[in-house]
Amino acid sequence: MSADRLLLTLSDSSDSSDGHSRIEILNTGGYRSDGRRQYELRTISIDLSPQGSGADGSASLTHGLTQVNVCVFGPREAKMRSQTYHDRANVNIEVAIAAFSASERRKRGRGDKRILELSQTLKSTFEPVIQTSLYPRSQIDIYIQVLQQDGGLLQACVNATTLALANAGIPTYDFVCAVTGGVHSTSPLLDLTLLEENDLPNVTVAVMPRSGKITLVSMETRLHVDRFEEIFRLAGEAGKVIHREMRKAVKDRTEQLVASMQSVGRPSTGADVGDNEY
Amino acid sequence: MRPPSPSIPEKEFLFSALKQGLRLDGREFFETRPVTLTFGPELGWVECSLGQTRVLAQVDAKMIKPPPERPFEGVISIHSEISPMASSEFELGRPSEEEVTITRMLDKVIRRSDVVDKESLCILAGQRVWHLRLNVHCLSDSGNLLDCACLAGIVALKHFRRPDVEVIGEEVTVHHPTSRAPIPLSLHHNLYCFTFAFFSDTSIHPVLDPNHLEQRLNGGLISIALNAHRELCVVQKSGGVPLEPADVLRIVNVAVQKAKDLDVIVESRLREDWEGRKVEVR
Amino acid sequence: MTIVLPGERAPARHVNLKLGPGLFQNSNASTSTGRAAPSIFATRAGTLNHSSNGSKWWIESNARRYVPAAQESVIGVVVQKQGEGFRLDIGTAHSANLDGLAFEGATKRNKPNLKVGSLIYGRISLAHKDMEPELECFDAQSRKSEGFGELKGGFLVRCSLRLCRQLLDPKYFLLPLLGSLFPLEIAVGLNGRVWISSQDAKRTIAIAQAIEAADPDAQGMDEDGIRTLLEDLGRK
């Protein structure tokens, strides 16, 4: 009964211009609009098989309905000598959002400020994580293609990039795992869909799971300081859960590769996959 | 043209001084440079400087027909650019990284967080609304252009007065500022942006309002935009050296305190300037 | 102490006239009506100075961008290792070249190994407007280092060109004042860069602030002002 009243008051507000009926974010039974519970994350599917085109590493990741593909090239010779650093590699990230990825078709050009900001954020997130000092005067190119958007875009890009780098064999200090969090009146929610992102204050947090340190925080909506603290800590912990999934995917892939190497008749190198604590 | 990186002695000296708790210009770690606000002859024109960093912001308004999907709200557009006179690394026409950061932050701080009450900008629903244009020009870069630009933008909006409008039926009369006193914009809250720089050596505490050298040698920046009522609007830590969650929360709390102090300074400066002006009302 | 503006005539006249920076001789060979001497014009705004016997004239003005001139000592930052030598940034239109052998006691086997980003105090050996400037790290006559070479530690302060020239003038108050308060090492580059090194970071910061305050471009503080500034810093 109280849920009906909630629906009634929400539909009175005049700012919803697209005409669809208001869906409640969290009902009294504790279920969200897509049937998840408060702290439940969406289904993650990871595909690390090569995507043709000779990329050195690639990954395709989905969080529920958000799908992102990443290809990594490098370290390779830089296209422009002026962009190189004499003591480390230059990390170059380019993001392309497909016009069909959102519910309304919208073509975004290269110079779109939101896309530029996204690339910059990702670049400064991964520059300290990749061991760039091993490859001076070279360039590592990371190309991100967004195929479907249903909330958590930055989160998906960060996770997919981490996987693609691991797939390419580029040495990194740790994984970077990102997750979004939001607050609905006083209840925190995790891994928001597009609907929830548009309605609730939300924050994207990326952590390095081994040390628990935070490497990226991005919040663009108004939130009280006390609420922020709560959701910030929660998102940090949730990052570790995502790490488990990512680690499993990388491990499975590596085991697959090792198995296929051994079946060709090469002598095994003596180091077992399962030995590594990583 | 990228300016040359700082030399090794400069780098080493900065880090060793910071480890000892000393900043190069004698400030405390959480002390900003003195804020100077200079108001121009017109309303809505302000030059904000944080030490040697200077940003100019200007607001003007004109009436337009509103877009059909939002007939009850006014329109705000922001144009920001970094003039090549700010530093030799900025070129006109090609947005540098810093320019993208400033544009996006101004967008988040002023447009997306609803600083201006857009419905108050409506004159005649569906026919006439106010279109506010905010121009931000960065004149001199001596570190932390971002905070300076956001402050200039917000103060310009607070300083601006729009002409009084009278609506009788379908007829709209705009009163000249000399016949009826112009009225201020209706702002929900004041947002202030604070940028902290931290360094690759995690034993060095983050510093607020980095100056030129500190910004060039930073290991990461975290920007927090919030109002004086403990509400955060933007928290942006774009990568850089990873921090402990407790450190991030500590920085947020420092920003909360600074926002209150800055609010007092801005309000008193605006009051001072308003008393010094004479707005003719015949 | 006359102040001249660009285009004004300067009353410089001598048998062996030598013109310094800011003065330009316009030889009017076209008018043959018996004008006594070709006219000297000022090309910069500043004060007109001359030597005691009137043979050398120049304009004292201020600027921030350095134009290289031979035999001047400058501070450069290594930006690239190039072949047998290094490329340095000295704040001029072109980078300067420093040969690997241009150090005291350097042989083909024993060259200094400078990293990118090191500070070098050198003397400009070649400064021609059509060529890139060249530096050497030893004194011209004695071929000994005499303080030139790599500057380790310390801190770099940037200032206007006028202040650098003033700092090298023994009659200027700043360096003797600073030296009387604490021991310090200082290298003044005529390209607007000053390297300072002191016992600890606090003193170095105080010296850097004193130099920046005395800069005629900034506040142009006089001796009393600097003394008060240093006392305030010492108390903090």
Side-chain angles (χ1 to χ4, degrees), chain C residues 126-181:
Chain C
L126 175 73
H128 194 266
K129 62 184 163 94
D130 296 319
M131 294 164 64
E132 285 185 354
E134 282 182 23
L135 290 182
E136 280 176 350
C137 281
F138 50 77
D139 188 72
Q141 268 94 39
S142 67
R143 313 290 292 194
K144 292 219 183 273
S145 63
E146 303 284 345
F148 293 119
E150 189 183 351
L151 297 167
K152 295 206 171 93
F155 186 58
L156 188 70
V157 181
R158 281 157 214 260
C159 59
S160 66
L161 304 186
R162 180 87 197 274
L163 183 69
C164 300
R165 291 194 289 264
Q166 280 176 328
L167 286 174
L168 289 173
D169 180 2
K171 294 194 285 288
Y172 192 62
F173 73 88
L174 188 60
L175 287 183
L177 170 62
L178 291 172
S180 68
L181 289 172

Side-chain angles (χ1 to χ4, degrees), chain A residues 29-129:
Chain A
Y31 287 99
R32 287 148 77 171
S33 57
D34 54 357
R36 284 185 288 150
R37 308 215 117 228
Q38 250 187 299
Y39 299 140
E40 205 178 317
L41 304 176
R42 292 179 286 186
T43 321
I44 302 178
S45 87
I46 300 174
D47 181 10
L48 294 175
S49 50
Q51 292 182 16
S53 82
D56 297 320
S58 59
S60 172
L61 172 84
T62 58
H63 277 293
L65 291 177
T66 303
Q67 187 179 0
V68 166
N69 277 3
V70 177
C71 282
V72 172
F73 289 82
R76 59 179 180 179
E77 182 151 5
K79 290 204 182 85
M80 282 196 287
R81 290 286 291 279
S82 55
Q83 299 270 342
T84 56
Y85 296 97
H86 72 279
D87 56 347
R88 58 187 184 85
N90 181 30
V91 176
N92 177 35
I93 300 197
E94 284 180 23
V95 178
I97 300 190
F100 50 78
S101 59
S103 57
E104 257 179 38
R105 186 189 169 84
R106 191 163 157 205
K107 192 149 197 280
R108 290 177 191 260
R110 268 292 157 82
D112 187 60
K113 294 278 165 65
R114 284 206 65 186
I115 298 189
L116 281 180
E117 192 196 12
L118 189 60
S119 323
Q120 256 178 40
T121 309
L122 290 166
K123 180 176 156 135
S124 49
T125 306
F126 283 98
E127 252 175 5
V129 173

Side-chain angles (χ1 to χ4, degrees), chain B residues 4-14 16-18 20 22-28 31 52 88 213, chain C residues 77 79 89 115-119 151-158 195 200-202 204-205 208-209 233 236:
Chain B
S5 317
S7 57
I8 295 179
E10 283 175 288
K11 220 187 292 197
E12 286 176 357
F13 182 74
L14 181 77
S16 78
L18 285 173
Q20 293 175 36
L22 297 168
R23 282 176 84 171
L24 293 182
D25 38 16
R27 286 186 278 159
E28 297 292 329
E31 192 185 323
Q52 298 268 31
S88 56
L213 195 60
Chain C
V77 181
V79 290
D89 161 63
K115 290 197 281 212
V116 171
S118 337
L119 276 182
L151 297 167
K152 295 206 171 93
F155 186 58
L156 188 70
V157 181
R158 281 157 214 260
W195 175 83
D200 59 13
K202 191 157 174 225
T204 314
I205 291 178
Q209 291 203 351
L233 288 170
K236 266 214 263 190

Side-chain angles (χ1 to χ4, degrees), chain A residues 127-146:
Chain A
E127 252 175 5
V129 173
I130 301 175
Q131 290 190 0
T132 50
S133 50
L134 294 176
Y135 310 111
R137 284 192 287 275
S138 64
Q139 182 159 318
I140 298 178
D141 288 310
I142 303 177
Y143 299 117
I144 301 179
Q145 179 73 251
V146 177

Side-chain angles (χ1 to χ4, degrees), chain B residues 59-62 75-78 116 121 130-134 157 160 162 185:
Chain B
V59 179
D60 65 44
K62 62 178 187 179
V75 180
I76 304 179
S77 59
I78 306 175
V116 181
L121 296 175
W130 284 112
H131 173 193
L132 286 180
R133 268 188 322 201
L134 171 65
L157 285 170
F160 180 66
R162 64 173 172 81
L185 295 174

